[in-house]
Amino acid sequence: MAKRASRKLLDELPSTAEMQRSIAGLRRQSDAVIALMGAAYLERALEALIESRFRPLAADEHARIFSGRGGGSLGTFAAKIDMAYAMKLLAPIARDDLKLVNHLRNTFAHSLHKVSFSNPTIEADCKALKVREVAEAATGMLKPLAGAKDRFCWTVHTLYGGLIVALEDSRSGKFDTGPRALHDKNN
């Protein structure tokens, strides 16, 4: 099969600045886009954090580990979450919220029902997202949320910010800084 031109949209990643702008503007998108893109940005940030702890990898080595298309051992969001937790890059609360974000993404992507953040089952799952509250309670800046969509967006924003801080710290050799809710205290 010939390589499709659109494949480069999967292979070439947006810059960090572009990803941050997308995360910041996420709330203005449709519910499905929020769920799919929010999870995609978290997955990419988590991949970069995990990879920052690896030795430098050649492109083919990276693909063998991280490619979902190629059956890489860390080719799924769920596998990346499990690996990051095992590597002590995530605290249990961050792991649990990432797993729930992944579940919600899969629900939006694969359900044959009309799915929205106003659906009672989606609302119930979004109420279980906790990392934002823990991170903001530590600073005393907890703001009320309007509903499930806001809770999901703020969770994505909080997790993404924490993953980027952890990535920058990892690249600079600091392994124990960043938002406490994100990191394992036994790091």
Side-chain angles (χ1 to χ4, degrees):
M1 174 187 266
K3 187 172 181 178
R4 304 282 182 221
S6 61
R7 173 71 67 199
K8 75 179 186 175
L9 294 174
L10 293 172
D11 296 337
E12 294 176 8
L13 299 170
S15 70
T16 300
E18 289 173 311
M19 291 193 333
Q20 288 172 333
R21 279 191 299 278
S22 291
I23 292 287
L26 199 58
R27 177 68 174 82
R28 295 184 301 272
Q29 302 299 321
S30 71
D31 288 6
V33 169
I34 290 169
L36 298 173
M37 292 302 295
Y41 283 123
L42 290 174
E43 182 176 2
R44 177 59 187 116
L46 190 58
E47 179 179 318
L49 177 58
I50 292 167
E51 189 175 14
S52 74
R53 298 292 182 96
F54 291 177
R55 69 180 70 243
L57 299 173
D60 64 321
E61 294 169 323
H62 182 274
R64 279 196 306 274
I65 294 170
F66 291 107
S67 175
R69 298 179 308 277
S73 54
L74 298 178
T76 66
F77 192 13
K80 290 174 183 94
I81 295 166
D82 290 341
M83 179 59 74
Y85 181 72
M87 293 172 69
K88 297 184 178 182
L89 299 175
L90 299 173
I93 194 168
R95 176 207 50 201
D96 294 347
D97 274 10
L98 284 166
K99 284 184 175 225
L100 187 47
V101 166
N102 185 37
H103 168 76
L104 288 163
R105 184 245 329 243
N106 289 338
T107 300
F108 274 89
H110 302 292
S111 178
L112 298 179
H113 298 277
K114 182 175 177 162
V115 181
S116 74
F117 284 106
S118 61
N119 180 301
T121 58
I122 299 296
E123 286 178 341
D125 282 347
C126 287
K127 282 182 183 177
L129 294 166
K130 300 292 183 207
V131 76
R132 176 198 164 263
E133 292 168 351
V134 172
E136 288 192 358
T139 65
M141 297 178 10
L142 190 61
K143 298 172 187 156
L145 297 172
K149 184 186 290 189
D150 279 347
R151 181 176 288 278
F152 185 89
C153 288
W154 276 105
T155 297
V156 168
H157 187 266
T158 301
L159 287 168
Y160 184 80
L163 290 168
I164 293 303
V165 167
L167 175 60
E168 290 168 359
D169 287 350
S170 181
R171 287 178 175 162
S172 70
K174 300 178 202 170
F175 299 118
D176 60 349
T177 62
R180 289 270 181 231
L182 188 65
H183 304 293
D184 194 326
K185 292 177 183 157
N186 299 318
N187 229 358

